[in-house]
Amino acid sequence: MLYRILTDPITGTVLDETAHTYTIPMNVRRTVTAKHKQCAAPGCTRTALRCQADHILPFNHLLPTQGGLTVPENLQPLCQPCHQLKTQGLLTVKKDTRGVSRWSGPLGRESVTLAPPSPHEIQAAVQLHELLTRTRGKDSAGQNATSTHTGPSGKRADGLHADPSPAWTQDDKPPF
């Protein structure tokens, strides 16, 4: 099944849907789920497909145009337990304009999460990787370089880390 999502061609921002209503349209919900892949709470790895959509900045029922809009930039998937913690005020989040979310949990624990990259950022990263691979793939004499190996510390020979495994399983919860 294919869905059409209208975005700004320069920024990749999803164009206005029904931003001034509390109810989240299915196409906006699909956009949020596709972008995040999992619960947005720090350390929680529950799939976004089974999460509830949460307004980061609460929806203003009296003056809907004054903030808390129902737009993908103000929505995040939260699993039911994390959403309940946020609703009760035990878990709070503040998101800045760069997509950095600052979370505060019970007992003063704080975490920072980054917004998932936009499709434009992903495309730019792929192009940069391809360019670097072509550049690093040749030594000064124009010969192909040897392959990259991972050492016992988990670092690759080129100084980058090998692909880490997740710290939690799908059903585990972060230690809030």
Side-chain angles (χ1 to χ4, degrees), residues 4-119:
R4 182 176 171 195
I5 300 172
L6 297 177
T7 60
D8 182 287
I10 307 263
T11 65
T13 302
V14 175
L15 299 177
D16 189 22
E17 290 288 331
T18 53
H20 303 296
T21 62
Y22 179 74
T23 304
I24 302 164
M26 189 51 77
N27 57 345
V28 174
R29 187 179 300 269
R30 277 191 296 266
T31 300
V32 172
T33 300
K35 180 178 180 181
H36 286 271
K37 306 289 187 216
Q38 64 191 33
C39 177
C44 186
T45 58
R46 288 193 173 99
T47 179
L49 293 172
R50 302 180 83 190
C51 287
Q52 302 167 350
D54 170 62
H55 285 81
I56 298 168
L57 180 64
F59 184 80
N60 187 332
H61 291 275
L62 297 175
L63 299 169
T65 60
Q66 300 300 311
L69 299 177
T70 304
V71 294
E73 294 78 21
N74 188 44
L75 295 170
Q76 62 187 354
L78 288 180
C79 66
Q80 195 277 328
C82 292
H83 200 177
Q84 188 64 33
L85 287 172
K86 184 174 178 278
T87 300
Q88 292 173 344
L90 297 173
L91 184 62
T92 61
V93 61
K94 292 184 180 176
K95 185 175 174 183
D96 67 20
T97 57
R98 297 172 299 155
V100 176
S101 296
R102 299 189 186 287
W103 295 82
S104 296
L107 306 175
R109 183 179 179 129
E110 294 187 353
S111 298
V112 175
T113 58
L114 302 175
S118 73

Side-chain angles (χ1 to χ4, degrees), residues 115-145:
S118 73
H120 296 292
E121 292 169 323
I122 294 171
Q123 182 181 14
V126 168
Q127 291 171 348
L128 178 61
H129 174 72
E130 290 170 355
L131 176 65
L132 291 173
T133 302
R134 283 194 303 261
T135 303
R136 288 183 183 168
K138 303 276 184 180
D139 64 14
S140 58
Q143 301 296 320
N144 284 335

